[in-house]
Amino acid sequence: MSYMEEIEQVRQALAARGHEWRAMNPEYVVRMRHQNRFPTGLDIARYTADIMRRDMADYDADTSKYTQSLGAWHGFVAQQTMMSVKKRQGTLDKSYIYLSGWMVAALRSEFGPLPDQSMHEKTSVPALIEEIYTFLKQADARELRHIFAELDDARAAGQDTAPIIDRIDNFETHVVPIIADIDAGFGNEEATYLLAKKMIEAGACAIQIENQVSDAKQCGHQAGKVTVPHEDFVSKLHAVRYAFLELGVENGIIVARTDSLGAGLTQKIPVAQEPGDLGHKYCDFLKATPVNDLSELKEGDITIHQNGVLCKPERLDNGLYAFREDTGFDRVVLDCITSLEHGADLLWIETEKPNLSQIGGMVDAIRKVRPEAKLVYNNSPSFNWTLKFREQVYEDWKAAGKDLSAYPNPAENEKGLMDVSLDDSELAQEADRLIQSFQADAAREAGIFHHLITLPTYHETALGVDQLSEGYFGELGMLAYVKGVQRQEIRRDLAAVKHQDLAGSNIGDDHKEYFLGEKALLAGGAANTMNQF
């Protein structure tokens, strides 16, 4: 229904109410509805789930149509991200928001900054989802308010209003999909189900869950990770799916993450019911030594059969069991295939470096069984992208026989290739070219449907505040803010320059006029300093 048709529909509905509702302006009603298109989080979850399903189909048909997101730790950060993308790219197509459990722990816990070990409050994750969508909806309301003001001005001037009404009818919302991190599920299957429901009710259409032990969860880029048997992880996949289905979000997305590449431990030995089942395969990865004589066993030792041989699995002093060191690749492949076979939609393989051949090799192995497999990939700030890609170019050139005498050998000088003097070198430029094309290359060659950066706005905030503080508390004084921030905002035409407007002042004035008419006391008059901009 078009804007004008909706106004007429509301006009008729108000007229049917009689004399008592005569003060209601049908166009104001329609404007307020457009500015609040999504009344509930479930409306958002259903809408954005459909977007992700379409995007997945687009990617299957054309791998250049991959998707991207940046991690946001506050609603304002998410809002500014999407406003910027819409302004610069002209559309929000294929653009998402990522909600990182790491950033929730580090920045949004009532306990204060915490490590990424599932120690933050469960409710902080759905609370942040709701906050993000509140800010994204407010971005809609603000932009539409400016279009409505243009429409009013055009009408007053007797100008053609059709192009403005067309912009209203074809308005692109800032509400985009969120991929939300539920860590390892914060407890047993019931705990995972209950938290997943809260996240979906807040608006999440995609939930990412990892196969670590919930009460021993570690950041994916730290040591000491402990994984669970497949049957335990599958039960949590089922819990999340039931949550989606119960709430009527049939297209909800589950991202199954495996940390097995960097996890060398398990907490539990599953029971194999028959040869070749998941329990058998999981136990086969355990590091174990054959028992030749039962007298070798000590008090408290346990044994298992590995392919018919009685073995003693290696158990640490803390009771955890070790995997064989050469099994990470195969465990990742089995994890991913099993997850897809039990209802996961997308995969996440946590790696220790951004290496295309490594990622692609695992995806190729997975696709031999599940050709539709697609990845969500963490373009992690935990990687030293500069160093790793310069090392990659160095090794490639070394293999090709190229003269490398102008460059430090990384085997002898671990971080020598990071030297600023190399920034303009041929090697550094080639490394930067590979970094720039990494997302497109990985989407094409390694099955990566979605590229995200988990913690970019954590680092961006730290850098920006450092630069501003250095100047403001130093010799530059106020010039540090004016030159480094305000002048840049003005020249880049950021909405934040008029911070009163962005925070809703003009929307509030509109409502005052809707409710009280000409007697309304407005904040946006001639004396408002926003007019300086």
Side-chain angles (χ1 to χ4, degrees):
M1 185 183 303
S2 72
Y3 177 70
M4 298 307 296
E5 289 172 342
E6 192 172 353
I7 291 172
E8 181 56 31
Q9 183 186 68
V10 173
R11 188 190 313 278
Q12 293 177 16
L14 290 175
R17 291 284 184 170
H19 177 76
E20 290 80 0
W21 286 22
R22 69 187 185 283
M24 299 295 104
N25 184 312
E27 186 159 11
Y28 293 169
V29 173
V30 173
R31 289 183 178 186
M32 294 174 79
R33 287 179 178 176
H34 277 243
Q35 289 175 307
N36 185 27
R37 176 178 169 182
F38 303 97
T40 72
L42 285 177
D43 293 319
I44 292 172
R46 295 183 186 111
Y47 169 78
T48 53
D50 291 345
I51 290 175
M52 281 196 69
R53 292 289 177 179
R54 288 196 298 269
D55 288 348
M56 290 162 66
D58 288 348
Y59 175 80
D60 287 339
D62 180 356
T63 57
S64 69
K65 295 182 178 180
Y66 58 90
T67 57
Q68 297 170 287
S69 66
L70 293 178
W73 55 272
H74 192 280
F76 182 72
V77 173
Q79 180 196 65
Q80 292 305 296
T81 301
M82 290 301 105
M83 289 177 70
S84 177
V85 172
K86 188 174 182 181
K87 177 192 287 286
R88 310 298 175 189
Q89 305 300 323
T91 180
L92 291 169
D93 184 43
K94 307 294 189 290
S95 300
Y96 303 168
I97 291 291
Y98 179 66
L99 190 156
S100 161
W102 191 100
M103 286 209 286
V104 172
L107 298 171
R108 299 304 301 266
S109 171
E110 293 183 9
F111 291 105
L114 294 172
D116 183 23
Q117 296 173 354
S118 291
M119 296 166 64
H120 54 279
E121 308 86 353
K122 296 179 184 180
T123 53
S124 58
V125 180
L128 180 53
I129 296 169
E130 183 176 7
E131 176 183 290
I132 286 172
Y133 279 126
T134 297
F135 274 80
L136 295 180
K137 290 194 294 181
Q138 198 267 355
D140 281 0
R142 175 199 165 273
E143 186 175 334
L144 281 165
R145 187 266 167 192
H146 283 272
I147 300 174
F148 296 150
E150 286 183 50
L151 178 60
D152 292 340
D153 290 344
R155 284 172 175 166
Q159 298 171 351
D160 181 17
T161 60
I164 302 174
I165 293 174
D166 185 67
R167 285 163 58 196
I168 298 171
D169 288 338
N170 294 286
F171 180 80
E172 183 180 18
T173 178
H174 293 85
V175 170
V176 298
I178 283 179
I179 297 177
D181 186 0
I182 200 171
D183 283 10
F186 285 86
N188 63 15
E189 298 86 348
E190 180 69 6
T192 301
Y193 155 76
L194 292 171
L195 179 55
K197 278 182 55 175
K198 288 293 186 184
M199 293 168 67
I200 298 163
E201 288 169 342
C205 72
I207 293 178
Q208 166 223 324
I209 186 167
E210 61 204 62
N211 69 333
Q212 291 192 48
V213 174
S214 186
D215 61 359
K217 181 256 189 296
Q218 297 275 30
C219 174
H221 292 283
Q222 292 182 319
K225 294 185 290 295
V226 185
T227 61
V228 298
H230 295 97
E231 59 191 25
D232 291 16
F233 188 59
V234 164
S235 70
K236 293 192 174 183
L237 295 180
H238 291 166
V240 175
R241 180 62 67 200
Y242 272 110
F244 274 124
L245 294 175
E246 176 185 340
L247 295 171
V249 187
E250 285 82 3
N251 271 343
I253 308 292
I254 298 176
V255 181
R257 168 175 149 177
T258 173
D259 282 279
S260 289
L261 195 63
L265 302 169
T266 186
Q267 191 179 55
K268 186 166 69 173
I269 296 178
V271 176
Q273 301 296 330
E274 58 185 49
D277 67 9
L278 286 173
H280 176 200
K281 292 176 182 178
Y282 196 80
C283 291
D284 198 40
F285 291 128
L286 292 172
K287 187 175 184 179
T289 55
V291 176
N292 298 312
D293 188 336
L294 293 180
S295 64
E296 299 173 8
L297 300 176
K298 300 178 182 178
E299 185 73 20
D301 282 350
I302 68 166
T303 60
I304 62 171
H305 276 91
Q306 278 189 336
N307 299 309
V309 178
L310 184 66
C311 297
K312 184 177 75 171
E314 181 176 306
R315 186 166 56 172
L316 281 64
D317 290 342
N318 56 16
L320 299 174
Y321 299 91
F323 290 114
R324 297 197 312 275
E325 292 182 1
D326 60 350
T327 60
F329 181 101
D330 291 333
R331 283 186 285 126
V332 164
V333 172
L334 180 60
D335 292 345
C336 291
I337 292 171
T338 303
S339 293
L340 291 174
E341 288 176 342
H342 291 85
D345 303 289
L346 295 168
L347 303 171
W348 173 319
I349 301 174
E350 194 75 335
T351 66
E352 80 287 359
K353 58 187 176 183
N355 185 283
L356 202 57
S357 61
Q358 179 195 41
I359 305 163
M362 290 184 285
V363 172
D364 288 344
I366 296 164
R367 284 183 165 177
K368 289 178 181 178
V369 179
R370 301 291 300 208
E372 81 284 8
K374 292 180 282 294
L375 293 192
V376 171
Y377 188 70
N378 178 9
N379 294 265
S380 176
S382 294
F383 302 145
N384 186 333
W385 287 76
T386 302
L387 180 62
K388 289 304 174 185
F389 273 83
R390 288 182 182 182
E391 287 176 349
Q392 180 179 319
V393 173
Y394 185 97
E395 293 302 322
D396 289 345
W397 284 3
K398 181 180 178 180
K402 191 165 183 173
D403 180 15
L404 294 168
S405 59
Y407 304 103
N409 185 341
E412 300 172 356
N413 185 349
E414 185 179 358
K415 296 184 179 178
L417 291 175
M418 281 293 294
D419 197 290
V420 68
S421 64
L422 297 175
D423 283 359
D424 294 324
S425 68
E426 183 184 2
L427 183 146
Q429 290 175 1
E430 174 62 12
D432 284 354
R433 186 191 68 77
L434 291 175
I435 293 171
Q436 183 177 359
S437 66
F438 177 78
Q439 293 184 333
D441 294 342
R444 181 182 63 253
E445 300 173 22
I448 296 179
F449 157 74
H450 184 76
H451 282 276
L452 61 88
I453 310 180
T454 45
L455 322 176
T457 51
Y458 176 92
H459 293 278
E460 184 274 336
T461 301
L463 176 62
V465 171
D466 178 74
Q467 292 171 335
L468 175 60
S469 301
E470 178 187 23
Y472 182 75
F473 291 100
E475 295 182 358
L476 291 179
M478 192 58 196
L479 183 60
Y481 171 75
V482 172
K483 185 177 180 180
V485 180
Q486 189 179 72
R487 199 174 293 170
Q488 298 300 316
E489 286 182 316
I490 293 170
R491 291 174 178 173
R492 291 178 67 85
D493 191 28
L494 296 191
V497 172
K498 296 185 178 182
H499 45 259
Q500 305 284 16
D501 172 60
L502 182 57
S505 179
N506 286 329
I507 294 172
D509 274 359
D510 288 345
H511 291 169
K512 291 174 186 177
E513 290 189 294
Y514 295 175
F515 306 154
L516 193 58
E518 296 179 356
K519 296 180 181 180
L521 179 63
L522 305 181
N528 191 314
T529 58
M530 281 197 303
N531 295 324
Q532 296 176 22
F533 301 101

